[in-house]
Amino acid sequence: MATSLYDLTVGSYSQILEAALSFMEKGKSHCEENGIALSEIVDTSLHETMMSFHFQVVSFNHHSSKTVEALSSGEFLPPVGYEPRDYDGLLDMTRASAQMMAAQNPDTINTMAGNPIVFKLGPNEMPFTAENFVMSFSLPNFYFHATTAYDILRLKGVPVGKMDFLGKLKMGS
């Protein structure tokens, strides 16, 4: 059986978005139980040259929801213009992205296979097919930012492990 565009996008994004909601909820509980200000998490980065937890969460949400939109619009832009959010606002953003994925129709997404998508970064434009954009740009960025958000929570002592990141696996029968 071939992997469909729906499986590559909505299937992959949904699994990790749901997992992110879970590990972010664990992070919130851990902080509340240990007197750690949630704002401290939001502002934390792994290294001075890296962006904060806030940016990581905005980015993995952007690379999921905006990629699904780009399948039909044909245009993807970097994650700019997002207002600052507190920890609960980042959780709400992630819930909204997961709900968006749940509302997608497999047949509709699959008919967009082969569509052109142009990534616009300032005056530069990078043309892709839908599948190549997803596999070579969107998914790697999505996983990078989700992993970095997870790693920041680990850095702050949140008791999460690999299965918290992976979430519900798509197991065969």
Side-chain angles (χ1 to χ4, degrees):
M1 179 174 121
T3 300
S4 70
L5 185 58
Y6 178 86
D7 296 331
L8 285 174
T9 57
V10 176
S12 298
Y13 299 138
S14 295
Q15 178 181 342
I16 301 303
L17 287 167
E18 292 294 335
L21 282 170
S22 180
F23 68 67
M24 289 172 70
E25 287 287 356
K26 284 183 179 185
K28 181 178 178 179
S29 294
H30 174 80
C31 288
E32 289 170 345
E33 292 165 7
N34 292 284
I36 301 168
L38 288 169
S39 59
E40 181 181 330
I41 301 294
V42 171
D43 294 335
T44 295
S45 63
L46 292 178
H47 187 270
E48 64 189 35
T49 62
M50 292 180 76
M51 301 297 282
S52 68
F53 180 84
H54 182 277
F55 181 83
Q56 305 306 326
V57 174
V58 166
S59 293
F60 73 69
N61 279 283
H62 183 83
H63 275 282
S64 55
S65 62
K66 297 303 181 186
T67 294
V68 169
E69 290 176 9
L71 293 173
S72 60
S73 73
E75 182 176 282
F76 185 87
L77 302 169
V80 295
Y82 288 90
E83 71 276 3
R85 294 175 186 244
D86 61 10
Y87 199 95
D88 286 329
L90 294 171
L91 273 167
D92 289 343
M93 174 187 278
T94 306
R95 275 189 206 96
S97 294
Q99 290 167 354
M100 178 203 187
M101 295 305 144
Q104 299 306 307
N105 178 293
D107 292 333
T108 301
I109 297 294
N110 289 334
T111 62
M112 297 179 204
N115 280 3
I117 295 180
V118 175
F119 173 49
K120 295 184 176 183
L121 181 61
N124 301 314
E125 294 187 359
M126 299 169 65
F128 294 92
T129 63
E131 295 87 341
N132 287 339
F133 179 77
V134 169
M135 291 187 297
S136 69
F137 187 79
S138 179
L139 282 173
N141 274 284
F142 173 75
Y143 288 123
F144 173 84
H145 293 294
T147 300
T148 304
Y150 167 89
D151 288 343
I152 289 169
L153 292 175
R154 290 281 313 258
L155 175 73
K156 291 299 189 177
V158 176
V160 291
K162 183 187 258 186
M163 292 310 296
D164 293 296
F165 179 82
L166 293 176
K168 185 178 179 185
L169 302 175
K170 299 175 192 107
M171 312 232 333
S173 46

